[in-house]
Amino acid sequence: MKEAVTDRFGRPMQDLRISVTDRCQFRCSYCMPKEIFGTDYAFLPKQELLSFDELEKVVKIFAEKGVKKVRITGGEPLMRPGLPELVRRIYAIDGIGDVGLTTNGVLLGHYAKELFEAGLTRVNVSLDAIDEELFRKMNGQGVPPQKVFRGIETALAFGFQVKVNMVVQRGVNEQEILPLARYCKEKGITLRFIEFMDVGNDNAWSYERVIPKTEILNILSEKYELAPVEKDYFGEVARRYKYGDSQEQVGFITSVSESFCSSCTRIRLSSDGKLFNCLFASEGRDLKQLLREGASEQELGDFITGNWRDRDDRYSDERWEQRKSGKKKINMSYIGG
């Protein structure tokens, strides 16, 4: 019998996002700026990461508490050795009906076959520009976009449902909105525009660099006819629109301009085993310590339940008050997007 766990605002715990590594090949300025994450940066040692056995055990408990969806993130999750095996294990857990992966796409072509055979059918690829010079600059490592394109093409060939996520920043890549929309529409890929968010402490966020959904929608509407689409389920984050001449869609993640805290059903597990109830959280609760001290499944389940029931996070509703407080937030490369 599955338990329905809700927080202080009645929000159910339904989605688990697992960061499997804090490492990434890119140094995107809004996530892992190279000024902070340089060649001497101390990433988590292997022994600090949750093992696949530990992750499988934890996901089973989450499933018993009502979690239905799991998304694997990073860092760059495909840098975690043997990741397809973890996908296979998670897909075999009773109650988990949906497993997704968010990746920068560079290694996707190499692992697509193994991931598909492990049961994965959905991938989200982060892609902020298709102009080669701009993309090389934005990823901070000079990686050309062709490596991502090849990963996307390979995933599509295997039958994956592919979505592309674009973080839009004023003065940086707004000129890529229409070219990326055209690319995704031609490929039959849903493109999701993400408003530039103040995640972590190192991305030099300012409201002046945010391009809100309404402005992006106006840019798209100059070229395309778009109609809003009804939400599919409670807790769906993206606000979706359909092109008038096809079934393809675009979506908007509007954390800044149109908060969705009231329907947030996501809990996050860092690669070193800490639970975070919000993407903008300051601290997490240590589940790994309990695991490695030999806690029973009942004790682990009680810890997970108590953590969610105590939850009162709604950062995007309170952004300006929270920013004035000066509280530090956990970095996105550590907790996952």
Side-chain angles (χ1 to χ4, degrees), residues 17 30 102 124-128 163-170 173 177 180 191-199 205 209-213 216 237-238 250-257 260 266 279-280 332 337:
R17 300 176 75 88
Y30 61 80
T102 297
N124 287 12
V125 179
S126 300
L127 181 62
D128 296 330
K163 293 180 181 177
V164 164
N165 294 337
M166 177 188 184
V167 176
V168 188
Q169 300 178 63
R170 192 181 306 281
N173 65 335
I177 291 171
L180 200 49
L191 171 59
R192 301 197 305 181
F193 297 100
I194 301 175
E195 293 177 347
F196 179 41
M197 295 181 287
D198 51 332
V199 181
W205 184 88
R209 290 172 62 192
V210 176
I211 302 184
K213 167 201 159 189
I216 300 172
V237 170
V250 293
F252 299 85
I253 311 297
T254 60
S255 172
V256 179
S257 68
F260 41 81
R266 296 179 173 184
L279 180 60
F280 304 95
M332 183 158 57

Side-chain angles (χ1 to χ4, degrees), residues 257-314:
S257 68
E258 299 175 19
S259 166
F260 41 81
C261 293
S262 62
S263 59
C264 178
T265 62
R266 296 179 173 184
I267 187 166
R268 291 171 164 82
L269 180 63
S270 69
S271 51
D272 61 346
K274 292 186 176 64
L275 290 178
F276 292 86
N277 293 331
C278 180
L279 180 60
F280 304 95
S282 297
E283 56 187 23
R285 297 188 180 181
D286 196 345
L287 184 62
K288 181 180 70 179
Q289 183 177 349
L290 281 179
L291 268 170
R292 295 188 176 176
E293 288 176 349
S296 67
E297 290 189 8
Q298 179 67 47
E299 289 170 327
L300 292 168
D302 289 345
F303 180 84
I304 289 168
T305 298
N307 169 74
W308 188 261
R309 286 182 174 159
D310 286 344
R311 179 192 187 218
D312 59 2
D313 304 87
R314 51 191 194 96

Side-chain angles (χ1 to χ4, degrees), residues 17 25 43 47-48 131 138 185 248 302:
R17 300 176 75 88
Q25 317 98 315
F43 290 99
Q47 64 269 21
E48 293 299 319
D131 176 81
M138 291 188 70
K185 187 172 184 291
E248 309 310 329
D302 289 345

